[in-house]
């Protein structure tokens, strides 16, 4: 009880930190030096083209209304890399709305697809957006690796940077330059074939997730509050493109991986990619304050933790056996809310 009380006290004081701290972290982490890609050069519409908008400053707007959602996709598939976007989410009553920034190859490998997700889950007016990360490899959606969080800022008030670093050794999710989740391929017994290893494209979508997104479907999209528009800018595709002339189903073979080896070494030594002791400490602080649900402490689903999980005894006391946080994160942005464990939904299943 004493340990739990100490952690709760730490969470209360740390909640006073402003969102500017997190934006500054992106600069400190070296993300400001990463080149961006113009939309027309790197992306193409995916669906709902009438609800896609491109401004003169490079901002892309994706909109959901009563007729359709919308989305776009990268023109190339990539073998590993850094993929990033500055995102501003819709304000107001957004229950049931899902905005996603993710990597996938599900349109090619229907039964064995890989996927790395940032999913942003809308909420009722006066309640906060949730953020969810997912890691799927080789069609392993039944063995989900989901986590869900509250964000330490209002994502509708200003843009914030969300980044995925994917290498042959690890996947790291970043929020404003701060690592918030690291999944190591060879940690513990290793992930084996469940680690995403085939070339993936980058997607941005907004769609109606009424069946599950807000309190497991309790609150659905109310189009009287729409249309709902999210803004994306600062798009980064920093990876090794798959060969445009090859069969994408063969592009994860050894010869193509060898072709990308030099690019991956460059990626691994970049300042933003090196996971220092300081970065991991910042990640642990972020996770202790913001995590609502983690698969790593969900002993109902996995009595033995997944091999990549870094189980911490102090943190473990802050979670129920089903992986849900016992501590409601307090902030000036909203009242205390009850966290809910996420359903097993991948972007491909949602589509």
């Amino acid at each position: 009880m004493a340990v739990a009380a100490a952690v709760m006290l730490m969470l209360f004081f740390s909640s006073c930190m402003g969102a500017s701290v997190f934006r500054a972290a992106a600069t400190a982490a070296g993300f400001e030096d990463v080149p961006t890609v113009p939309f027309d050069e790197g992306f193409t519409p995916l669906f709902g083209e009438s609800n896609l908008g491109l401004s003169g400053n490079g901002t892309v707007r994706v909109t959901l209304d009563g007729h359709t959602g919308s989305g776009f996709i990268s023109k190339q598939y990539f073998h590993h890399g850094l993929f990033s976007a500055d995102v501003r989410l819709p304000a107001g009553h957004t229950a049931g709305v899902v905005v996603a920034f993710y990597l996938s190859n599900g349109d090619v490998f229907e039964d064995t697809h890989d996927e790395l997700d940032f999913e942003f889950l809308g909420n009722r007016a006066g309640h906060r957006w949730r953020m969810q990360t997912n890691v799927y490899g080789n069609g392993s959606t039944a063995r989900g690796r989901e986590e869900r969080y509250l964000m330490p800022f209002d994502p509708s008030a200003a843009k914030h940077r969300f980044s995925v670093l994917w290498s042959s050794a690890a996947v790291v999710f970043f929020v404003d330059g701060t690592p918030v989740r690291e999944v190591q391929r060879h940690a513990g017994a290793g992930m084996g074939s469940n680690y995403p290893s085939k070339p993936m494209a980058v997607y941005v979508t907004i769609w109606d997730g009424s069946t599950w997104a807000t309190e497991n479907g309790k609150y659905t999209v109310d189009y009287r509050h729409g249309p709902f528009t999210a803004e994306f800018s600062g798009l980064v595709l920093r990876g090794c493109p798959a060969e445009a002339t090859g069969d994408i189903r063969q592009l994860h073979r050894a010869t193509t991986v060898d072709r990308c080896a030099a690019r991956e070494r460059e990626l691994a030594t970049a300042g933003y990619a090196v996971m220092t002791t300081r970065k991991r400490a910042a990640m642990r602080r972020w996770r202790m304050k913001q995590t609502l649900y983690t698969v790593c402490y969900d002993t109902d689903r996995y009595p033995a933790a997944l091999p990549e999980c870094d189980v911490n005894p102090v943190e473990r006391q802050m979670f129920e056996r089903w992986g849900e946080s016992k501590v409601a994160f307090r902030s000036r942005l909203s009242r205390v809310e009850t966290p809910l464990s996420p359903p097993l939904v991948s972007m491909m299943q949602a589509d």
Side-chain angles (χ1 to χ4, degrees):
M1 292 297 294
V3 172
V7 174
M8 292 181 70
L9 186 63
M10 180 188 70
L11 297 180
F12 175 79
F13 284 111
S14 62
S15 67
C16 297
M17 298 176 64
S20 59
V21 173
F22 297 93
R23 284 300 290 168
T27 301
F31 283 88
E32 76 284 358
D33 296 327
V34 180
T36 60
V37 177
F39 178 84
D40 291 340
E41 180 180 324
F43 297 89
T44 190
L46 178 65
F47 72 100
E49 193 166 353
S50 61
N51 278 359
L52 283 175
L54 180 62
S55 66
N57 64 3
T59 297
V60 188
R61 294 179 177 86
V62 292
T63 295
L64 168 69
D65 59 24
H67 300 288
T68 183
S70 53
F72 57 91
I73 182 176
S74 62
K75 292 181 177 180
Q76 295 176 300
Y77 285 71
F78 295 89
H79 294 276
H80 308 132
L82 175 72
F83 308 95
S84 185
D86 294 335
V87 184
R88 183 172 181 172
L89 298 175
H93 185 90
T94 56
V97 176
V98 178
V99 179
F101 173 61
Y102 65 106
L103 285 75
S104 179
N105 49 36
D107 55 343
V108 178
F109 301 95
E110 294 183 4
D111 297 325
T112 60
H113 88 279
D114 305 309
E115 187 174 313
L116 301 170
D117 301 330
F118 272 115
E119 292 174 317
F120 307 103
L121 312 179
N123 215 329
R124 293 169 291 157
H127 294 72
R128 299 168 63 186
W129 281 82
R130 293 339 194 209
M131 181 182 81
Q132 182 165 309
T133 60
N134 303 320
V135 177
Y136 301 115
N138 202 33
S140 62
T141 54
R143 190 172 173 81
R145 289 173 157 86
E146 302 86 358
E147 289 194 338
R148 189 175 287 189
Y149 327 84
L150 284 174
M151 288 179 276
F153 47 74
D154 178 0
S156 68
K159 293 181 180 180
H160 291 269
R161 181 171 295 184
F162 299 89
S163 310
V164 180
L165 177 68
W166 171 45
S167 73
S168 60
V171 175
V172 185
F173 295 89
F174 295 85
V175 176
D176 285 335
T178 297
V180 301
R181 184 181 184 186
E182 180 183 20
V183 178
Q184 296 185 15
R185 182 176 192 169
H186 300 295
M191 292 180 65
S193 63
N194 286 336
Y195 188 81
S197 58
K198 299 182 290 295
M200 291 190 278
V202 179
Y203 294 75
V204 167
T205 58
I206 184 170
W207 47 281
D208 186 326
S210 291
T211 59
W212 68 277
T214 306
E215 298 193 29
N216 291 335
K218 181 178 180 180
Y219 299 98
T220 60
V221 175
D222 185 344
Y223 287 102
R224 294 174 298 178
H225 296 278
F228 308 97
T229 298
E231 299 179 353
F232 284 76
S233 59
L235 298 165
V236 171
L237 299 173
R238 190 69 172 170
C240 182
E243 297 177 51
T245 58
D247 181 348
I248 190 66
R249 289 168 294 184
Q250 302 298 322
L251 292 181
H252 61 294
R253 305 304 182 190
T255 54
T256 307
V257 172
D258 291 344
R259 182 181 62 82
C260 291
R263 183 71 68 87
E264 175 148 354
R265 284 194 295 271
E266 176 186 341
L267 175 73
T269 57
Y272 54 77
V274 178
M275 287 294 287
T276 63
T277 301
R278 176 176 293 185
K279 286 182 182 179
R280 286 202 169 95
M283 178 172 66
R284 188 171 293 278
R285 289 193 298 270
W286 196 98
R287 291 175 60 80
M288 289 184 70
K289 290 183 290 184
Q290 310 301 144
T291 302
L292 293 174
Y293 168 88
T294 174
V295 69
C296 288
Y297 296 139
D298 189 343
T299 55
D300 280 359
R301 286 171 68 190
Y302 302 114
L306 295 171
E308 71 274 12
C309 290
D310 179 16
V311 177
N312 180 283
V314 175
E315 290 179 357
R316 180 67 187 88
Q317 296 183 52
M318 308 311 298
F319 291 85
E320 304 287 0
R321 70 175 191 277
W322 52 88
E324 179 183 304
S325 174
K326 296 178 181 177
V327 181
F329 177 61
R330 300 174 182 270
S331 78
R332 291 169 291 183
L333 294 177
S334 73
R335 73 195 76 173
V336 175
E337 299 183 45
T338 303
L340 294 172
S341 56
L344 301 182
V345 178
S346 80
M347 294 305 302
M348 295 309 301
Q349 289 174 308
D351 292 344

